[in-house]
Amino acid sequence: MLIKDMFKKPIDRDIKGVIVVGEGEDSNAKQELEEYVVTRELSKHFREFFDNYKKGIVGETTKTGVWISGFFGSGKSHFLKILSYLLDGQKLIGGKRAVDYFIDDHKIEDAMVLADMKLAADTPTDVVLFNIDSKSEQTGKQSKDAIVTVFLKVFNEMQGFYGSMPYVADLERQLSEDGRYNEFKQEFAATGKSWEDSRRKFDFIQDDIVDVLVDMDYMSEPAARNWCEKAAEPYQISIENFARMVREYIEKKGHNHHVCFLVDEVGQYIGDDSRLMLNLQTIREELGKECKGKAWVIVTSQQDVDSITQVKGNDFSKIQGRFDTRLSLSSANVDEVIKKRILAKTDTADQTLRVLYEQKATPLKNKLKFEDLPEMKLYDDTRDFVDVYPFIPYQFKLLGSVLTSIRQYGASGKHLSEGERSMLALFKESAEALQNKSDGALVPFSLFYDALDEFLDAAHRRVIMQALDNKNINPDGGDDCFAVSVLKALFLVKYVKEFQKATVTNLTTLLISDMDEDRLALTQKVQDALDVLIHETLVQKNG
């Protein structure tokens, strides 16, 4: 049986390696909801979040801040995005509401949590999901009101007003309140241009705006001209006024209406600027005070915020104190996510692999042996084998350590996530590379290098490229040279502290690529490859 035929879902389908907040195409959203895996840890976070959120629906609360923290790749942005789908209960994704994906697929078993989720989905809510860095103006961070300016911008955009120029948005809001906004748009269309397309060129259409406002009998010409001049000046908004604006909007909507601001990567944006921190915590406090539980601020931030921002710890704990609901995500259950999202098998594959394991379990245990290393997990039983095949259990933890060490030792920039997100992509691509092999093939650890290749910086990639071009190492000039695979495996474990001993025995185990592999012959191949690599000064023998 071919490996590609074993999986319930096509292994070569497109999976987003890193979740980008603000990418909201419907087909993506449907796939994200269908494939979202609620681990033990996440179900606890969903319970805590909806338990607190409910307080603003059934009564009043001023504790409307949620702080979601976690290391790179622990799934914060994904969690935030899924929350945005769940809270926006009126929106249909693939023909049904987000909460129905959770109910139909039994993602959460706890009936109380599901009831709270349904209550939240049934409550009319405007969800404003954004990455704060991409929404802020280039010069925005210098001003002490930077964060409230971004909040105002996205709040205006959510209502269909022009976020980039608050004065224009104010005009639109006033017209809207007077019930004349549509009339204004129609009158403006008579100039031959649509208002939505033209308003960003405000400087060039001032005369048209003045004419339309005068023709509508909405303003006198001097007043309209005066407004146009004022609109070009810097805009000042206090946090108090912003909170009042949100409250008025919510009251106008009625029916227990809610507004949720979901802000991604706030910790990175704030950095070590205490004014920005103060700005954020004051927004949270004022919205809580004014809106009594109807306006929420939900933010994500790196876990080890001190190492990224050099902020004094107490400053950050002070701001976190304003966010009463705190959810900390780890990527501890990464293997659970990968097994369910990528490695789930069909019934036929299940049967085939069971038989295979029963035949090969003992010889396989003898082949997969490490020396002088901390625990390297191998298959526990048949079920475990079926769940993780064509991978070997130790690869989950070891690859996690590899990613951490690569980020630490500067082999890659910030975009290399460290948990589910890119682990997911790495496992998917490695399984894809083996898709046309038949059962019995295993993923050698060196194969993960190919999936990581694009994230590594040039200095590290160059060594591998030069090795491939070196006639002594790779006489055939092909892409799958065994000595280069040994080099890739050595590079991956180079900085991993759990893998202090890259002995021939341990390297041989890392490179096993088939259940019927002749371990003695493979050991000899590894030894020969190492001799060549040492001769070409790419590898150094230690001790």
Side-chain angles (χ1 to χ4, degrees):
M1 187 176 192
L2 291 183
I3 286 179
K4 67 176 172 190
D5 301 327
M6 292 183 174
F7 305 108
K8 278 187 181 167
K9 292 187 175 154
I11 192 69
D12 51 3
R13 71 190 187 281
D14 187 34
I15 285 185
K16 289 273 178 279
V18 175
I19 292 295
V20 180
V21 160
E23 274 187 344
E25 307 95 69
D26 239 26
S27 57
N28 265 358
K30 185 172 184 290
Q31 187 191 8
E32 278 174 38
L33 282 164
E34 280 175 348
E35 298 189 5
Y36 193 64
V37 176
V38 180
T39 58
R40 292 185 299 280
E41 179 186 50
L42 285 174
S43 61
K44 196 173 86 220
H45 292 326
F46 277 118
R47 178 183 304 119
E48 190 178 344
F49 173 79
F50 284 102
D51 194 36
N52 288 318
Y53 188 75
K54 181 172 68 174
K55 292 172 188 165
I57 300 176
V58 297
E60 291 187 349
T61 177
T62 54
K63 298 180 173 180
T64 56
V66 181
W67 189 279
I68 301 166
S69 61
F71 286 107
F72 283 101
S74 54
K76 305 180 299 295
S77 299
H78 205 190
F79 183 69
L80 190 73
K81 213 170 180 186
I82 296 291
L83 276 185
S84 76
Y85 297 146
L86 288 168
L87 294 172
D88 193 353
Q90 313 310 307
K91 186 180 175 195
L92 293 182
I93 296 166
K96 55 184 187 178
R97 303 191 312 166
V99 71
D100 296 329
Y101 286 92
F102 277 70
I103 296 167
D104 298 348
D105 302 344
H106 306 290
K107 289 185 191 291
I108 288 184
E109 299 297 336
D110 190 329
M112 289 293 289
V113 181
L114 283 173
D116 289 349
M117 279 176 150
K118 281 191 73 167
L119 177 67
D122 293 339
T123 306
T125 307
D126 282 311
V127 174
V128 190
L129 172 74
F130 60 101
N131 179 315
I132 191 157
D133 208 28
S134 62
K135 282 288 179 190
S136 81
E137 306 293 327
Q138 280 321 102
T139 54
K141 256 172 139 171
Q142 273 63 53
S143 98
K144 70 176 179 34
D145 296 329
I147 291 188
V148 71
T149 311
V150 180
F151 269 72
L152 176 67
K153 179 181 181 181
V154 295
F155 181 61
N156 282 334
E157 283 174 0
M158 180 267 293
Q159 297 170 76
F161 304 144
Y162 188 44
S164 295
M165 285 191 75
Y167 280 111
V168 176
D170 283 348
L171 173 71
E172 293 172 317
R173 184 179 292 104
Q174 195 56 52
L175 283 162
S176 187
E177 281 170 13
D178 297 338
R180 301 190 68 185
Y181 186 36
N182 284 333
E183 183 192 340
F184 171 79
K185 288 199 277 194
Q186 278 160 359
E187 290 275 345
F188 190 86
T191 64
K193 302 177 282 258
S194 90
W195 167 244
E196 274 87 354
D197 294 339
S198 307
R199 59 190 178 183
R200 61 195 168 81
K201 305 176 195 145
F202 175 78
D203 293 343
F204 303 104
I205 57 163
Q206 293 185 15
D207 288 343
D208 292 339
I209 296 174
V210 171
D211 292 345
V212 171
L213 290 171
V214 173
D215 290 346
M216 281 171 63
D217 204 17
Y218 191 75
M219 274 186 184
S220 66
E221 187 171 343
R225 289 249 171 251
N226 188 21
W227 175 82
C228 282
E229 280 168 27
K230 195 174 165 201
E233 293 169 10
Y235 187 89
Q236 299 296 326
I237 173 111
S238 71
I239 293 176
E240 228 171 308
N241 287 344
F242 172 70
R244 203 169 297 133
M245 193 186 285
V246 176
R247 190 200 69 216
E248 285 165 7
Y249 171 79
I250 288 171
E251 283 170 355
K252 225 183 347 283
K253 287 279 194 177
H255 310 301
N256 200 4
H257 195 86
H258 280 57
V259 174
C260 290
F261 295 96
L262 292 94
V263 197
D264 199 26
E265 291 301 2
V266 99
Q268 241 172 329
Y269 179 76
I270 285 174
D272 51 3
D273 193 332
S274 51
R275 294 174 314 169
L276 293 179
M277 285 188 184
L278 192 64
N279 211 227
L280 179 65
Q281 66 190 41
T282 314
I283 291 171
R284 215 295 294 139
E285 275 179 349
E286 285 296 326
L287 283 174
K289 214 160 59 186
E290 284 283 345
C291 305
K292 308 273 193 294
K294 306 290 178 255
W296 284 70
V297 179
I298 304 165
V299 304
T300 71
S301 161
Q302 283 349 324
Q303 177 80 20
D304 52 344
V305 91
D306 288 352
S307 68
I308 290 166
T309 58
Q310 284 85 50
V311 178
K312 305 292 166 283
N314 57 359
D315 272 0
F316 228 92
S317 57
K318 219 172 8 191
I319 182 172
Q320 283 186 316
R322 304 292 191 280
F323 289 79
D324 298 274
T325 307
R326 270 179 263 162
L327 312 174
S328 173
L329 274 63
S330 72
S331 27
N333 305 132
V334 59
D335 53 342
E336 203 180 324
V337 176
I338 291 168
K339 282 178 206 169
K340 285 187 183 165
R341 272 196 75 179
I342 300 173
L343 303 178
K345 309 289 189 305
T346 61
D347 293 342
T348 321
D350 195 304
Q351 295 303 321
T352 309
L353 291 171
R354 279 172 184 280
V355 173
L356 184 68
Y357 186 70
E358 276 154 25
Q359 291 168 353
K360 308 273 172 84
T362 312
L364 189 60
K365 271 203 172 73
N366 296 332
K367 286 186 180 114
L368 297 172
K369 55 173 190 250
F370 290 99
E371 59 180 15
D372 294 342
L373 289 180
E375 189 208 21
M376 286 284 175
K377 195 171 176 308
L378 301 175
Y379 302 112
D380 291 336
D381 50 27
T382 313
R383 179 75 266 147
D384 194 26
F385 176 76
V386 173
D387 284 348
V388 300
Y389 183 82
F391 298 96
I392 306 168
Y394 78 81
Q395 292 173 338
F396 291 97
K397 193 174 169 203
L398 185 58
L399 188 63
S401 305
V402 168
L403 293 184
T404 310
S405 68
I406 284 179
R407 278 206 67 256
Q408 228 169 347
Y409 293 97
S412 164
K414 282 209 168 61
H415 59 288
L416 176 56
S417 283
E418 193 186 63
E420 283 94 334
R421 292 285 62 78
S422 61
M423 289 273 277
L424 202 63
L426 294 175
F427 272 85
K428 174 199 169 290
E429 284 169 35
S430 304
E432 210 178 323
L434 247 66
Q435 62 178 342
N436 294 316
K437 300 243 170 121
S438 50
D439 48 33
L442 294 168
V443 171
F445 198 70
S446 57
L447 197 60
F448 288 111
Y449 176 89
D450 299 337
L452 261 178
D453 184 56
E454 61 189 280
F455 293 113
L456 303 174
D457 61 16
H460 293 81
R461 292 171 71 180
R462 200 178 305 121
V463 176
I464 304 287
M465 299 303 286
Q466 283 170 348
L468 277 169
D469 294 339
N470 184 321
K471 283 282 176 268
N472 293 341
I473 297 173
N474 186 12
D476 306 334
D479 280 342
D480 53 351
C481 163
F482 184 77
V484 176
S485 296
V486 174
L487 190 61
K488 288 174 181 175
L490 279 168
F491 166 71
L492 290 175
V493 296
K494 181 178 179 184
Y495 300 112
V496 177
K497 63 176 188 296
E498 298 94 327
F499 206 98
Q500 302 101 335
K501 303 213 169 156
T503 59
V504 175
T505 303
N506 292 342
L507 279 173
T508 304
T509 307
L510 288 184
L511 290 162
I512 284 177
S513 60
D514 199 288
M515 294 172 79
D516 293 325
E517 188 96 59
D518 178 344
R519 190 174 167 109
L520 277 173
L522 184 65
T523 308
Q524 189 54 53
K525 267 177 85 176
V526 171
Q527 187 59 65
D528 295 345
L530 285 170
D531 292 342
V532 173
L533 293 169
I534 290 168
H535 182 262
E536 296 297 317
T537 67
L538 285 169
V539 169
Q540 200 176 6
K541 195 166 183 180
N542 192 353

